Amino acid sequence: MTWHAVAKVGDVKAGDVVAVSVAGKDLVVGLDGDRYFATQRRCVHRGGDLADGIVSRGHVICPQHGWRFDVATGKTPEPSEYCLLTYPVRIVEQRIEVELKEEP
């Protein structure tokens, strides 16, 4: 596992979702209250760009069809097999870092 700096604290405002690319992956980083999160960028249901979505009450909401995904687990409250990939996030010296598995 490797940590990657993706933004600075302050670059992501509460309720916002920001697109980032790191190690060949397209992700979004957001801020829900005082907790940063990272998920895959594309909605697993219909491919909507979550960078255009919003954050509300612990969920990132797809702008294309309104599906909500839990920012911690990637699960949707709707009965569904769809689940976003989520990534660990930490703050180090005012940098927002995301942990990715190393690809073989």
Side-chain angles (χ1 to χ4, degrees):
M1 303 289 247
T2 303
W3 289 95
H4 301 269
V6 295
K8 294 179 186 174
V9 170
D11 289 347
V12 181
K13 307 293 185 218
D16 281 351
V17 187
V18 176
V20 298
S21 292
V22 59
K25 295 186 184 294
D26 291 325
L27 311 177
V28 293
V29 174
L31 181 57
D32 178 41
D34 61 355
R35 178 178 58 158
Y36 289 94
F37 66 89
T39 72
Q40 68 188 74
R41 182 171 175 175
R42 293 284 170 188
C43 175
V44 292
H45 179 232
R46 292 202 180 149
D49 189 350
L50 296 176
D52 295 329
I54 60 169
V55 179
S56 177
R57 298 184 202 155
H59 293 87
V60 60
I61 302 171
C62 179
Q64 190 173 59
H65 53 77
W67 270 33
R68 298 177 300 140
F69 296 91
D70 185 289
V71 298
T73 66
K75 294 180 181 177
T76 180
E78 289 80 8
S80 171
E81 72 278 7
Y82 296 109
C83 187
L84 290 179
L85 295 174
T86 60
Y87 301 90
V89 176
R90 70 180 184 187
I91 306 301
V92 176
E93 297 178 358
Q94 299 299 305
R95 290 186 315 268
I96 302 168
E97 296 184 348
V98 174
E99 186 179 36
L100 299 176
K101 290 182 181 178
E102 294 182 22
E103 301 287 328

